[in-house]
Short mmCIF file of all heavy atoms in Angstrom, two decimals:
data_model
loop_
_atom_site.label_atom_id
_atom_site.label_comp_id
_atom_site.label_asym_id
_atom_site.label_seq_id
_atom_site.Cartn_x
_atom_site.Cartn_y
_atom_site.Cartn_z
N GLU A 1 33.69 28.44 -57.36
CA GLU A 1 35.01 28.97 -57.03
C GLU A 1 35.83 28.03 -56.15
O GLU A 1 37.03 28.22 -55.97
CB GLU A 1 34.90 30.34 -56.37
CG GLU A 1 34.24 30.35 -54.98
CD GLU A 1 32.73 30.48 -55.04
OE1 GLU A 1 32.14 30.23 -56.12
OE2 GLU A 1 32.14 30.83 -54.00
N LEU A 2 35.18 27.00 -55.57
CA LEU A 2 35.89 26.06 -54.71
C LEU A 2 36.00 24.67 -55.33
O LEU A 2 36.38 23.71 -54.66
CB LEU A 2 35.17 25.95 -53.35
CG LEU A 2 35.18 27.21 -52.48
CD1 LEU A 2 34.28 27.02 -51.28
CD2 LEU A 2 36.61 27.54 -52.05
N ALA A 3 35.69 24.57 -56.61
CA ALA A 3 35.69 23.26 -57.26
C ALA A 3 37.04 22.57 -57.18
O ALA A 3 37.12 21.34 -57.06
CB ALA A 3 35.26 23.41 -58.72
N ASP A 4 38.12 23.33 -57.23
CA ASP A 4 39.46 22.75 -57.23
C ASP A 4 40.23 23.05 -55.95
O ASP A 4 41.47 23.03 -55.94
CB ASP A 4 40.25 23.28 -58.44
CG ASP A 4 39.64 22.85 -59.76
OD1 ASP A 4 39.19 21.69 -59.84
OD2 ASP A 4 39.56 23.67 -60.69
N ALA A 5 39.51 23.29 -54.87
CA ALA A 5 40.15 23.63 -53.61
C ALA A 5 39.86 22.56 -52.56
O ALA A 5 38.79 21.95 -52.57
CB ALA A 5 39.65 24.98 -53.11
N PRO A 6 40.78 22.35 -51.62
CA PRO A 6 40.45 21.49 -50.48
C PRO A 6 39.48 22.21 -49.55
O PRO A 6 39.58 23.42 -49.33
CB PRO A 6 41.81 21.27 -49.80
CG PRO A 6 42.63 22.46 -50.19
CD PRO A 6 42.16 22.86 -51.56
N VAL A 7 38.52 21.47 -49.02
CA VAL A 7 37.51 22.07 -48.13
C VAL A 7 37.22 21.10 -46.99
O VAL A 7 37.61 19.93 -47.01
CB VAL A 7 36.19 22.36 -48.89
CG1 VAL A 7 36.41 23.34 -50.02
CG2 VAL A 7 35.56 21.07 -49.41
N LEU A 8 36.50 21.61 -46.00
CA LEU A 8 35.94 20.75 -44.96
C LEU A 8 34.44 20.64 -45.18
O LEU A 8 33.77 21.64 -45.44
CB LEU A 8 36.18 21.36 -43.57
CG LEU A 8 37.63 21.50 -43.10
CD1 LEU A 8 37.66 22.13 -41.70
CD2 LEU A 8 38.34 20.16 -43.10
N ASN A 9 33.93 19.43 -45.10
CA ASN A 9 32.49 19.21 -45.11
C ASN A 9 32.03 18.94 -43.69
O ASN A 9 32.60 18.09 -43.00
CB ASN A 9 32.12 18.03 -46.01
CG ASN A 9 32.09 18.41 -47.48
OD1 ASN A 9 31.97 19.59 -47.82
ND2 ASN A 9 32.19 17.43 -48.34
N VAL A 10 31.00 19.64 -43.27
CA VAL A 10 30.44 19.46 -41.93
C VAL A 10 29.37 18.38 -41.97
O VAL A 10 28.52 18.36 -42.87
CB VAL A 10 29.82 20.77 -41.41
CG1 VAL A 10 29.10 20.54 -40.08
CG2 VAL A 10 30.88 21.84 -41.24
N HIS A 11 29.41 17.49 -40.98
CA HIS A 11 28.35 16.50 -40.79
C HIS A 11 27.79 16.67 -39.39
O HIS A 11 28.51 16.99 -38.44
CB HIS A 11 28.90 15.09 -40.98
CG HIS A 11 29.54 14.87 -42.32
ND1 HIS A 11 28.82 14.78 -43.49
CD2 HIS A 11 30.85 14.75 -42.67
CE1 HIS A 11 29.64 14.60 -44.50
NE2 HIS A 11 30.89 14.59 -44.04
N ILE A 12 26.48 16.45 -39.25
CA ILE A 12 25.79 16.70 -38.00
C ILE A 12 25.35 15.37 -37.40
O ILE A 12 24.38 14.76 -37.87
CB ILE A 12 24.56 17.61 -38.19
CG1 ILE A 12 24.95 18.87 -38.96
CG2 ILE A 12 23.95 17.98 -36.84
CD1 ILE A 12 24.76 18.78 -40.47
N PRO A 13 26.07 14.85 -36.41
CA PRO A 13 25.66 13.59 -35.79
C PRO A 13 24.27 13.68 -35.18
O PRO A 13 23.82 14.78 -34.80
CB PRO A 13 26.73 13.37 -34.71
CG PRO A 13 27.89 14.22 -35.11
CD PRO A 13 27.29 15.40 -35.81
N SER A 14 23.61 12.56 -35.07
CA SER A 14 22.24 12.56 -34.54
C SER A 14 22.18 13.00 -33.09
O SER A 14 21.12 13.42 -32.62
CB SER A 14 21.62 11.17 -34.69
OG SER A 14 22.39 10.19 -34.02
N ASP A 15 23.31 12.92 -32.37
CA ASP A 15 23.32 13.35 -30.97
C ASP A 15 23.94 14.73 -30.79
O ASP A 15 24.28 15.13 -29.67
CB ASP A 15 24.04 12.33 -30.10
CG ASP A 15 25.50 12.11 -30.52
OD1 ASP A 15 25.92 12.67 -31.57
OD2 ASP A 15 26.23 11.39 -29.81
N ALA A 16 24.11 15.48 -31.88
CA ALA A 16 24.72 16.81 -31.80
C ALA A 16 23.85 17.75 -30.97
O ALA A 16 22.62 17.72 -31.03
CB ALA A 16 24.92 17.38 -33.19
N VAL A 17 24.52 18.59 -30.18
CA VAL A 17 23.85 19.65 -29.41
C VAL A 17 24.09 20.96 -30.15
O VAL A 17 25.23 21.44 -30.24
CB VAL A 17 24.42 19.72 -27.98
CG1 VAL A 17 23.79 20.89 -27.22
CG2 VAL A 17 24.20 18.40 -27.25
N LEU A 18 23.02 21.54 -30.70
CA LEU A 18 23.17 22.71 -31.57
C LEU A 18 22.96 24.01 -30.81
O LEU A 18 22.27 24.92 -31.27
CB LEU A 18 22.19 22.59 -32.75
CG LEU A 18 22.35 21.32 -33.59
CD1 LEU A 18 21.35 21.32 -34.75
CD2 LEU A 18 23.77 21.18 -34.13
N SER A 19 23.61 24.12 -29.67
CA SER A 19 23.59 25.39 -28.93
C SER A 19 24.65 26.31 -29.52
O SER A 19 25.58 25.87 -30.19
CB SER A 19 23.89 25.14 -27.45
OG SER A 19 25.22 24.70 -27.27
N ARG A 20 24.51 27.60 -29.25
CA ARG A 20 25.49 28.55 -29.76
C ARG A 20 26.88 28.23 -29.22
O ARG A 20 27.88 28.26 -29.97
CB ARG A 20 25.07 29.97 -29.35
CG ARG A 20 25.96 31.10 -29.86
CD ARG A 20 25.76 31.36 -31.34
NE ARG A 20 26.59 30.52 -32.19
CZ ARG A 20 26.25 30.16 -33.43
NH1 ARG A 20 25.13 30.51 -33.97
NH2 ARG A 20 27.06 29.39 -34.14
N GLU A 21 26.96 27.89 -27.97
CA GLU A 21 28.26 27.60 -27.36
C GLU A 21 28.91 26.38 -28.00
O GLU A 21 30.11 26.40 -28.33
CB GLU A 21 28.08 27.37 -25.86
CG GLU A 21 29.37 27.05 -25.12
CD GLU A 21 29.15 26.81 -23.65
OE1 GLU A 21 27.99 26.69 -23.21
OE2 GLU A 21 30.16 26.71 -22.91
N GLU A 22 28.15 25.30 -28.19
CA GLU A 22 28.72 24.07 -28.73
C GLU A 22 29.08 24.22 -30.21
O GLU A 22 30.10 23.69 -30.66
CB GLU A 22 27.75 22.91 -28.54
CG GLU A 22 27.60 22.47 -27.10
CD GLU A 22 28.90 21.99 -26.49
OE1 GLU A 22 29.70 21.34 -27.21
OE2 GLU A 22 29.15 22.27 -25.30
N LEU A 23 28.26 24.92 -30.97
CA LEU A 23 28.59 25.13 -32.38
C LEU A 23 29.87 25.94 -32.52
O LEU A 23 30.77 25.57 -33.30
CB LEU A 23 27.43 25.85 -33.08
CG LEU A 23 26.16 25.02 -33.28
CD1 LEU A 23 25.02 25.91 -33.80
CD2 LEU A 23 26.40 23.87 -34.25
N ASP A 24 29.98 27.04 -31.79
CA ASP A 24 31.18 27.86 -31.89
C ASP A 24 32.41 27.10 -31.43
O ASP A 24 33.50 27.23 -32.01
CB ASP A 24 31.01 29.13 -31.06
CG ASP A 24 30.06 30.13 -31.70
OD1 ASP A 24 29.79 30.00 -32.91
OD2 ASP A 24 29.57 31.04 -30.99
N ARG A 25 32.24 26.28 -30.42
CA ARG A 25 33.37 25.47 -29.93
C ARG A 25 33.85 24.53 -31.03
O ARG A 25 35.05 24.37 -31.24
CB ARG A 25 32.93 24.68 -28.70
CG ARG A 25 33.98 23.73 -28.13
CD ARG A 25 33.54 23.18 -26.79
NE ARG A 25 34.43 22.15 -26.31
CZ ARG A 25 34.25 20.84 -26.45
NH1 ARG A 25 33.14 20.39 -27.05
NH2 ARG A 25 35.12 19.96 -26.00
N SER A 26 32.92 23.91 -31.76
CA SER A 26 33.31 23.00 -32.84
C SER A 26 33.99 23.73 -33.99
O SER A 26 35.02 23.29 -34.51
CB SER A 26 32.09 22.24 -33.36
OG SER A 26 31.79 21.13 -32.55
#
């Protein structure tokens, strides 16, 4: 359903902090 739509792709840097606060902030 998104084949013809603009989207954002998420990338996870090697130094990413995957806390709930930091994820929601991003």
Side-chain angles (χ1 to χ4, degrees):
E1 66 273 17
L2 294 172
D4 296 320
V7 299
L8 296 180
N9 279 340
V10 174
H11 303 288
I12 309 93
S14 58
D15 59 354
V17 176
L18 303 181
S19 67
R20 183 74 273 152
E21 180 181 10
E22 290 299 323
L23 290 171
D24 286 343
R25 177 171 173 263
S26 277

